[in-house]
Amino acid sequence: SCGLSFLVPSRPCVDTMSVKRKADEIVGTTCIDLAHLDKEGAQAMMTVFNKVASPNNNAERVISMFKAQEGLSIGFPVDCYIHGLQTATLALRDGCDEETVVCALLHDLGECWSTINHGEIAASLLRPYISPKNYWILKHHEVFQAYIYQNGFELKDIEKVRDQFKDSPHFDACVQFCERYDSKAFDPEYDTLPLEHFIPMIKRIFNRKPYVESGCLEDGRENAAKFSLGEAYPSPEPN
């Protein structure tokens, strides 16, 4: 109290009955404390979870996130939406596999969310479904891009910053990704493929068995640990 209550902003009352009614429409279990979740409750919950967070539904959410970049410009001749499409188009036409093309499409998804480390957003989002190589490329690509555009900024020792990662087996692949695709994907006159061309690819990637088909199960203890939780999460949908 201390006589300062007038500084606390008022908060609207929560219509708990309305919230409960909405929850009753989708909830599969009545459990309100995970410590007391039994097998029957878990099965009921998973019936809902499998529908809401199916691989195809998750892919659609990612597609919606990508579409939200349309019209989002950071000062280049094309917006973030076209940049992603163009990066993916360049990778596809250069013979990259489907997984790498999807990574190219989504690599800057976090550009205007957490700018200076935006590569980690796409990397984390895709990690269960992509190879250790592509995960590493996504996670580090902003550093490798900086080496390319360094003449436009007063970046100190950027070559040294980039080259500290030379001991990685994925160093050269990241250089190639940035030089061939990412850094060249700002051309409004380029014949860029539409999003519809890549949507089936995205859905196939998200329908992979997490951590297994991507070959990343042994790439870090956290991957193996999360893989062990598979029974509690939605599975890939049948073709």
Side-chain angles (χ1 to χ4, degrees):
S1 56
C2 300
L4 296 176
S5 59
F6 65 90
L7 293 177
V8 180
S10 60
R11 299 174 62 185
C13 296
V14 176
D15 183 354
T16 54
M17 290 305 296
S18 175
V19 171
K20 183 178 185 303
R21 281 195 299 271
K22 290 179 180 178
D24 287 342
E25 295 173 4
I26 61 171
V27 74
T29 177
T30 56
C31 177
I32 60 173
D33 183 341
L34 289 178
H36 302 298
L37 182 66
D38 57 20
K39 289 186 178 180
E40 183 180 358
Q43 290 174 354
M45 182 275 292
M46 284 303 298
T47 299
V48 178
F49 197 12
N50 276 319
K51 293 178 181 178
V52 174
S54 69
N56 282 340
N57 282 340
N58 289 344
E60 289 291 349
R61 291 186 183 96
V62 172
I63 292 165
S64 294
M65 291 159 62
F66 181 78
K67 287 179 177 178
Q69 293 187 306
E70 191 167 10
L72 182 64
S73 172
I74 61 170
F76 286 104
V78 301
D79 60 20
C80 294
Y81 177 79
I82 295 298
H83 173 63
L85 289 174
Q86 198 167 118
T87 306
T89 301
L90 288 167
L92 180 66
R93 290 176 176 163
D94 196 37
C96 290
D97 59 56
E98 185 168 278
E99 177 189 303
T100 302
V101 171
V102 170
C103 289
L105 179 74
L106 302 176
H107 74 283
D108 276 351
L109 199 62
E111 182 79 63
C112 293
W113 295 352
S114 184
T115 55
I116 200 166
N117 72 327
H118 64 271
E120 294 186 43
I121 293 176
S124 294
L125 185 66
L126 292 169
R127 188 170 199 192
Y129 313 105
I130 61 176
S131 66
K133 180 185 77 172
N134 278 328
Y135 172 74
W136 199 94
I137 290 171
L138 288 174
K139 189 175 179 181
H140 295 82
H141 81 269
E142 0 8 3
V143 176
F144 285 64
Q145 277 287 77
Y147 175 80
I148 296 172
Y149 65 64
Q150 61 177 303
N151 290 335
F153 297 88
E154 294 182 5
L155 300 177
K156 296 180 179 180
D157 300 321
I158 191 61
E159 183 173 3
K160 184 185 297 184
V161 170
R162 186 198 68 167
D163 287 355
Q164 68 181 308
F165 300 108
K166 273 195 169 180
D167 61 341
S168 169
H170 312 308
F171 182 92
D172 290 338
C174 195
V175 170
Q176 176 178 301
F177 177 87
C178 292
E179 289 183 351
R180 292 189 183 180
Y181 318 131
D182 194 2
S183 67
K184 299 185 183 302
F186 299 95
D187 184 356
E189 303 300 322
Y190 183 73
D191 180 24
T192 301
L193 290 169
L195 177 59
E196 289 71 24
H197 190 90
F198 302 104
I199 285 176
M201 301 182 191
I202 299 171
K203 291 185 176 180
R204 284 192 289 269
I205 294 298
F206 274 86
N207 266 286
R208 288 179 169 182
K209 186 173 183 179
Y211 300 109
V212 176
E213 291 182 57
S214 61
C216 70
L217 184 58
E218 304 302 323
D219 187 39
R221 288 179 297 176
E222 67 274 13
N223 285 358
K226 291 176 183 180
F227 173 73
S228 70
L229 312 177
E231 186 178 342
Y233 287 88
S235 301
E237 297 174 81
N239 295 326

